[in-house]
Amino acid sequence: MAELATVARPYAEALFRVAQAGKENLAVWSDLVSELAQIGAHPEVQAFARNPNVSGADVAAAILALVKSPVNAEVKNFLAMLIENDRVTLLPEIGAQFQVLKNNHEGAADVSIVSAFEMTAEQQAALVATLEKKFARKLHPQVSVDPSLIGGVRVVVGDQILDTSVRAKLQQMRVALTA
């Protein structure tokens, strides 16, 4: 079977083109697509969509009933097409790829920051400002805490990783000593 990202990419690109051409701004579309991705990721929704005894109209109605954002005709058509082609399980990947397209369009990126300790708002703001200078783009941070890092932070922007954690330095030392 083809990789999910490969199959989801054309759907995400088409939805992004519709979002750019639409009346609503890109942020509204991003929120809506994110909401659809969260709904589509739920195992019960996926099981309901795969059930052969449930019609496509029932699946569409159930998903649309779960959406809190206002839904326009384009979204209904998009959802109907996904259901018709048995692609509801692609919604999370479509949402992720839509977010990447939106970020590229805006010259921004998502950043995952994992810290060994809880960071204050000022520390987070200072770190994000430094990272924005380094990567020359606006960053949207997701901050989490992982005590197993012992100290420092691990930053992931796209496919780039900056690991300044004590755990990483200890692993480097172990490799150097055993080599």
Side-chain angles (χ1 to χ4, degrees):
M1 183 176 177
E3 176 119 12
L4 284 179
T6 304
V7 178
R9 185 172 297 112
Y11 291 104
E13 290 171 349
L15 194 58
F16 186 75
R17 285 192 300 272
V18 169
Q20 284 182 306
K23 295 178 224 169
E24 295 93 7
N25 66 16
L26 210 48
V28 172
W29 274 94
S30 179
D31 292 343
L32 180 60
V33 172
S34 176
E35 193 174 348
L36 285 171
Q38 289 174 354
I39 292 168
H42 200 281
E44 290 179 9
V45 171
Q46 290 182 7
F48 186 71
R50 284 191 307 266
N51 187 338
N53 297 325
V54 177
S55 70
D58 290 341
V59 173
I63 292 174
L64 290 173
L66 295 171
V67 176
K68 293 181 178 134
S69 303
V71 178
N72 57 27
E74 289 95 350
V75 173
K76 289 179 183 176
N77 291 339
F78 175 74
L79 195 55
M81 179 190 56
L82 284 180
I83 293 167
E84 181 179 320
N85 294 316
D86 294 324
R87 303 279 195 216
V88 172
T89 56
L90 290 179
L91 276 171
E93 183 62 30
I94 291 169
Q97 290 194 22
F98 185 93
Q99 185 64 32
V100 169
L101 290 168
K102 177 183 172 276
N103 284 343
N104 288 341
H105 176 73
E106 296 173 342
D110 291 331
V111 59
S112 170
I113 301 171
V114 182
S115 174
F117 301 100
E118 195 71 39
M119 294 177 17
T120 66
E122 295 83 23
Q123 290 171 324
Q124 286 180 21
L127 178 59
V128 170
T130 302
L131 293 170
E132 285 177 344
K133 288 178 188 171
K134 177 174 178 44
F135 291 103
R137 60 176 60 175
K138 174 78 174 131
L139 297 176
H140 306 290
Q142 283 289 90
V143 181
S144 60
V145 175
D146 181 3
S148 72
L149 294 180
I150 304 169
V153 294
R154 184 172 194 271
V155 177
V156 179
V157 179
D159 60 353
Q160 296 181 337
I161 300 172
L162 300 173
D163 196 344
T164 62
S165 68
V166 173
R167 180 178 69 187
K169 290 181 182 180
L170 289 172
Q171 288 173 343
Q172 290 172 351
M173 287 173 51
R174 185 180 81 216
V175 169
L177 291 172
T178 58

